Amino acid sequence: MRATVIHAPHDIRVEEVPDPVIQQPTDVVLRVLRACICGSDLWAYRGESARQPGQRIGHEFLGIVEEAGSEVRGFSAGDLVVAPFVWSDGTCAYCAEGLTTSCPQGGFWGSVGSDGGQGEAVRVPFADGTLVALPAAAASDDRLLTALLALSDVLGTGHHAAVGAGVRAGSTVAVVGDGAVGLCGVMAAKRLGAERIIALGRHAARTDIARDFGATDVVAERGDAAVAAVRELLGGEGAHSVIEAVGTEQSMRTAVGITRDGGAIGYVGVPHGSGTGLDLGDMFNRNIALRGGVAPVRTYIPELLPDVLDGTIDPSPVFDLSVGLDGVPAGYKAMDGRTALKVLITP
């Protein structure tokens, strides 16, 4: 089969790799219908996250079960399913608590020795604990299928940030980051009842999506100017809830600066260069809470799925470029150059 591999920074290739096969009785083999490129994939692409030459890549996908192991109970050949970006056994204490990303037997797609999602097929370990069934009819609805793909990562990650930030009905929310996760954070805040949502971003195509997703205001400034602009919009005070969806030192400093005393930051931006971005003294004095981390999207999919299916929310606009497998290297280049927001892959 064909799949995407990374050989070195800026060296993404689509190559022939061994077909996936059932290795454990709890596995399934899944034929990929839709996959995509994540902003976090760019850290490997840029050389900021180490990868072995020839390592598989990609962690967001959905598809059709082709074969199920003898101990798989919830799925059989022909089922349409979505995979969260981390597999998990569904039986450990962490899974029972909803923190599936801490499952001792879990792992990330594209890690050494595992399949990546940007290919024709994937071996899925612990299928019963990992996969979520989708209506079969969705396979013939292109827009819906694309919207459902967002459940594999960005929609659940935006929701995790909103939950961590304590978004509630009537609250004010500010969102730092205009990538797909930040935009889904806007959608999540709106879904949870936020009254005012301020999106921080300077790219009109992205802030237009933010407004469509529920943003009431847009702030294009960065750094200290962004802090001043948000506070001016909110009468000198910050937002009750702040979603941080970038992961840099500047973005975290901005998040702290625009948080209202007694408020909370939900952080989901993969940290890169943000180690000195927190002033705990300032957060202590202002009673600011910090919650977030790797989103346990497997826990959130059952909650979010009905709203995607009935059209209450539609995250599909975050995908603004579609490519086949041969176009994946160009897709990485487009996202790296910010000429694409999020690239959809149709193997």
Side-chain angles (χ1 to χ4, degrees):
M1 60 167 260
R2 300 169 72 231
T4 306
V5 298
I6 182 168
H7 284 269
H10 302 282
D11 186 0
I12 294 285
R13 307 178 196 175
V14 177
E15 298 180 341
E16 293 288 333
V17 301
D19 291 336
V21 296
I22 300 293
Q23 297 180 15
Q24 300 294 330
T26 52
D27 292 349
V28 304
V29 172
L30 181 151
R31 175 169 53 87
V32 177
L33 293 183
R34 295 288 186 278
C36 55
I37 301 172
C38 183
S40 63
D41 291 329
L42 296 180
W43 305 126
Y45 182 72
R46 294 166 179 163
E48 297 182 38
S49 296
R51 293 292 188 275
Q52 294 183 4
Q55 187 172 334
R56 297 280 294 278
I57 195 167
H59 55 262
E60 300 163 277
F61 60 95
L62 56 74
I64 302 288
V65 174
E66 289 201 325
E67 183 182 2
S70 61
E71 294 182 13
V72 175
R73 298 291 176 260
F75 304 98
S76 57
D79 288 344
L80 178 66
V81 296
V82 63
F85 66 84
V86 171
W87 71 80
S88 52
D89 63 18
T91 62
C92 72
Y94 284 114
C95 287
E97 295 167 3
L99 194 61
T100 51
T101 50
S102 290
C103 176
Q105 297 196 87
F108 291 78
W109 309 111
S111 56
V112 175
S114 75
D115 293 341
Q118 295 166 12
E120 293 180 326
V122 176
R123 180 183 73 89
V124 178
F126 302 106
D128 285 327
T130 299
L131 299 174
V132 177
L134 302 174
S140 60
D141 185 331
D142 189 65
R143 184 212 57 79
L144 178 57
L145 203 62
T146 300
L148 291 168
L149 176 61
L151 290 166
S152 64
D153 185 347
V154 290
L155 183 58
T157 297
H159 177 73
H160 186 56
V163 170
V167 176
R168 62 189 185 280
S171 61
T172 58
V173 180
V175 180
V176 183
D178 61 0
V181 170
L183 294 174
C184 286
V186 170
M187 177 175 283
K190 177 69 173 179
R191 178 179 175 275
L192 292 173
E195 182 175 305
R196 191 169 190 182
I197 304 171
I198 302 169
L200 281 69
R202 56 176 56 189
H203 298 84
R206 299 184 180 202
T207 55
D208 286 348
I209 295 174
R211 290 190 183 277
D212 289 342
F213 282 5
T216 56
D217 304 89
V218 170
V219 167
E221 290 84 357
R222 300 181 69 179
D224 291 342
V227 173
V230 171
R231 287 188 170 271
E232 183 177 357
L233 285 171
L234 298 176
E237 299 178 343
H240 297 107
S241 303
V242 174
I243 290 172
E244 193 286 312
V246 182
T248 64
E249 177 177 344
Q250 182 186 63
S251 64
M252 188 59 78
R253 288 187 183 278
T254 298
V256 173
I258 62 178
T259 304
R260 178 189 180 102
D261 287 16
I265 300 168
Y267 72 106
V268 292
V270 178
H272 47 284
S274 58
T276 59
L278 285 176
D279 182 343
L280 292 181
D282 185 33
M283 296 180 69
F284 179 86
N285 291 334
R286 297 170 54 210
N287 280 280
I288 293 175
L290 180 68
R291 293 185 292 268
V294 184
V297 299
R298 175 60 181 83
T299 298
Y300 297 133
I301 291 175
E303 175 184 351
L304 298 171
L305 175 58
D307 284 359
V308 176
L309 290 174
D310 68 16
T312 299
I313 55 176
D314 178 14
S316 63
V318 302
F319 299 97
D320 61 344
L321 177 63
S322 180
V323 300
L325 271 181
D326 288 335
V328 170
Y332 272 85
K333 185 175 181 179
M335 283 185 62
D336 185 46
R338 296 183 70 85
T339 59
L341 169 59
K342 190 167 181 66
V343 175
L344 177 71
I345 302 168
T346 55

